[in-house]
Amino acid sequence: MRLKFLTFTCALCWMIPAVSQTQSSAFGFLELPRSAHEAALGGRSVSVLESDPSLIHSNPAVITEMTGRTIGLNAMTWLAGTTIAGAQFCDLIGERSDYALSARYVSYGVSDETDPSGNECGTFSARDIALAGTYGYRLSDCWSGGVAFRMMYSKYSYYNSFAIAADLGLTYHSPADYFTAGISFTNIGRQTRPFEDIREDVPFNITAGMSLRLAHAPVRITLTLDHLNKWDSEDFFDPEGELSNGDILMRHMMFGADILFTDQFYATLGYNVRNRAELVSGDKKGLAGFNIGAGMNLERIQFSLSFGKYQVSTSSLLLNFAINI
């Protein structure tokens, strides 16, 4: 089993250079966070290893932290009229393997349809759907790997599109040093059916991160480097002109800290450099780029909630609930 897993991992790594790295892509809803905990850490995390089914969407290797059969649900507030919800089912396979089935649904509500002259001629709806299967394997006491396959479908009025993608992840855990690290390659794939004649990319992303719990304080520090496949100034929004190499480096960074009050309760604060730079408006900077959250991990039930700003017009709440059955 381990040999098969490593062989498949190498095959996916060989596929990665063929994935386009342009800024424009379809299925942008895949970039929205699903885990309230990782959202509170700045928007994304690949190194926090917990029995939280929502964490597998950023790094499929985290699925090996599941402690049994678990159902997870999540919901997120967004623009008015938009509904965002998801679900996960996780279970063990023997002593070293885990699997999960997951789904996400995004509905943008009903909008007025107009002709080129601006005359109303009815209404239309828009929605995105993603279905995925995830598999994880404990390679050793410290290392775990995971893969996921995903199908995505979008329908906007008369237009629809279909795509397939795969994720690849790896985690490292050193209990003696209170240190964990992870790396993931998400959305390695392509559109199989474009909206019109031109095929668009899916939002391929390389993310790496590390977390360290302080030895003499109930605090865990997390650093995440996101979109490591993007290093051109054109990949980032800057109203003042071209970005320097230092600015580009900083816009990959997210910083987070967990305050671990007890084994069951934590609070989280995160900072996303890119969101802070791109979501501020004039002199009104507000809380753009900052995220907060909290969670409870009881014997069989988990709750987590986060608050953050991921687009210009409004802030969002993300709620997770999971139960071990």
Side-chain angles (χ1 to χ4, degrees):
M1 179 65 73
R2 182 182 299 184
L3 178 60
K4 292 180 180 179
F5 180 84
L6 292 175
T7 301
F8 183 72
T9 298
C10 292
L12 279 182
C13 288
W14 178 80
M15 291 169 57
I16 289 172
V19 179
S20 174
Q21 299 180 6
T22 57
Q23 182 181 16
S24 176
S25 63
F27 302 96
F29 75 100
L30 296 173
E31 295 280 77
L32 297 176
R34 300 193 190 189
S35 165
H37 194 176
E38 70 168 350
L41 287 167
R44 196 172 179 88
S45 172
V46 294
S47 58
V48 173
L49 308 184
E50 294 180 341
S51 182
D52 179 351
S54 64
L55 290 170
I56 67 175
H57 300 289
S58 289
N59 188 346
V62 178
I63 193 177
T64 59
E65 299 298 315
M66 296 296 106
T67 57
R69 185 174 299 173
T70 304
I71 294 176
L73 302 172
N74 57 77
M76 185 176 183
T77 64
W78 197 244
L79 299 172
T82 301
T83 300
I84 303 178
Q88 307 88 34
F89 173 81
C90 307
D91 202 359
L92 308 179
I93 306 176
E95 297 182 355
R96 305 185 70 88
S97 302
D98 303 76
Y99 78 95
L101 301 174
S102 60
R104 193 173 213 195
Y105 176 76
V106 182
S107 172
Y108 303 98
V110 177
S111 302
D112 293 329
E113 183 178 358
T114 60
D115 61 21
S117 300
N119 300 312
E120 293 188 8
C121 52
T123 60
F124 71 93
S125 61
R127 61 184 179 272
D128 296 309
I129 299 172
L131 303 175
T134 304
Y135 172 78
Y137 187 79
R138 296 172 187 83
L139 301 169
S140 69
D141 291 339
C142 297
W143 293 91
S144 292
V147 294
F149 289 99
R150 183 176 299 106
M151 298 182 295
M152 296 86 73
Y153 173 77
S154 293
K155 181 175 177 58
Y156 308 143
S157 186
Y158 307 106
Y159 304 96
N160 58 78
S161 178
F162 185 82
I164 56 175
D167 300 342
L168 171 65
L170 189 68
T171 61
Y172 171 78
H173 181 204
S174 175
D177 300 323
Y178 302 100
F179 175 79
T180 59
I183 185 170
S184 68
F185 304 81
T186 54
N187 300 317
I188 308 168
R190 59 174 297 181
Q191 265 185 319
T192 58
R193 178 176 180 175
F195 286 105
E196 295 187 277
D197 297 330
I198 300 176
R199 295 185 186 276
E200 299 175 90
D201 302 311
V202 294
F204 173 59
N205 192 0
I206 301 176
T207 308
M210 61 186 71
S211 299
L212 176 66
R213 178 168 179 174
L214 304 185
H216 303 292
V219 177
R220 179 173 57 204
I221 306 298
T222 297
L223 169 64
T224 303
L225 302 176
D226 199 24
H227 293 106
L228 291 176
N229 51 308
K230 295 183 178 181
W231 291 96
D232 293 331
S233 180
E234 296 178 354
D235 293 324
F236 305 91
F237 172 73
D238 180 38
E240 298 181 358
E242 187 171 335
L243 295 171
S244 67
N245 291 334
D247 291 333
I248 293 174
L249 175 62
M250 289 301 298
R251 293 202 181 188
H252 289 87
M253 295 186 180
M254 303 176 192
F255 303 92
D258 289 312
I259 304 173
L260 309 171
F261 296 107
T262 68
D263 292 338
Q264 291 78 35
F265 179 71
Y266 67 87
T268 305
L269 175 65
Y271 179 69
N272 186 309
V273 177
R274 180 177 183 179
N275 284 354
R276 182 66 177 176
E278 298 184 358
L279 296 180
V280 296
S281 177
D283 296 331
K284 298 180 180 180
K285 299 186 181 297
L287 294 176
F290 290 96
N291 304 68
I292 59 174
M296 289 192 304
N297 298 317
L298 305 180
E299 183 177 355
R300 294 180 54 200
I301 297 176
Q302 301 175 22
F303 295 96
S304 53
L305 179 69
S306 69
F307 171 87
K309 193 176 183 70
Y310 307 104
Q311 43 91 29
V312 175
S313 63
T314 187
S315 300
S316 298
L317 289 173
L318 177 56
L319 173 65
N320 288 139
F321 168 80
I323 181 169
N324 190 304
I325 57 175

